[in-house]
Amino acid sequence: MAKAHGKSTLPEQVATKPALLSGGNPQIAKAYGDAPVQAYIAAMPGWKSDVGRRLDALIERTVPGVHKAVKWNSPLYGIDGQGWFLGLHCFTKYVKVAFFRGASLHPVPPGASKTKDTRYLDIHEDDELDEAQFTAWVKQASQLPGERM
């Protein structure tokens, strides 16, 4: 790095929050591992960040060694070599949890999808998350063949 009189001649890097896309979804570059998922969660606007932290902690506790990535501006959770079983996405009024093989879960998550296998759980600001049901779904989903993306 070039220096002039003890100071860098390069402009200082300023840490900026990721841009928010339509509906408030954070724009995070495609990357694998916990760090990009944590960057996504930190950038989730308002109350959604707390929901993201809670979901992430529940998933990690339920599936030790879970693999993580951010693709298409959405955190994904999966099993190494088996694909992805769950994804998160922010919308204006809720956080959407996608169970990619949700039609095979018992009970089936409430949100229908255009694809026959996927089911959704939408979490709004004032919703009470049923942690026992959520972790049961996560455990079941992690044991099914994952989605290749």
Side-chain angles (χ1 to χ4, degrees), residues 45-65:
W47 60 270
K48 295 171 192 163
S49 188
D50 289 337
V51 169
R53 279 191 292 278
R54 188 171 172 197
L55 296 176
D56 185 68
L58 289 168
I59 295 165
E60 281 188 340
R61 193 173 330 135
T62 305
V63 186

Side-chain angles (χ1 to χ4, degrees), residues 30-115:
K30 176 183 173 181
Y32 293 86
D34 186 55
V37 171
Q38 295 310 316
Y40 177 96
I41 291 169
M44 292 170 80
W47 60 270
K48 295 171 192 163
S49 188
D50 289 337
V51 169
R53 279 191 292 278
R54 188 171 172 197
L55 296 176
D56 185 68
L58 289 168
I59 295 165
E60 281 188 340
R61 193 173 330 135
T62 305
V63 186
V66 67
H67 281 249
K68 301 178 186 184
V70 173
K71 293 185 176 191
W72 305 285
N73 301 305
S74 295
L76 300 176
Y77 295 82
I79 304 297
D80 188 29
Q82 296 179 26
W84 307 105
F85 62 84
L86 181 151
L88 303 178
H89 198 85
C90 283
F91 288 90
T92 303
K93 297 186 186 252
Y94 59 95
V95 175
K96 182 176 285 292
V97 179
F99 292 96
F100 301 127
R101 300 277 186 244
S104 298
L105 304 180
H106 299 286
V108 174
S113 172
K114 293 177 185 173
T115 62

Side-chain angles (χ1 to χ4, degrees), residues 5-6 23 46 52 60 76 90 97 107 116 121-122 128 131 133 140:
H5 303 288
E60 281 188 340
L76 300 176
C90 283
V97 179
K116 69 179 181 86
L121 174 66
D122 295 344
E128 273 297 318
E131 288 189 6
Q133 182 59 72
Q140 291 175 56

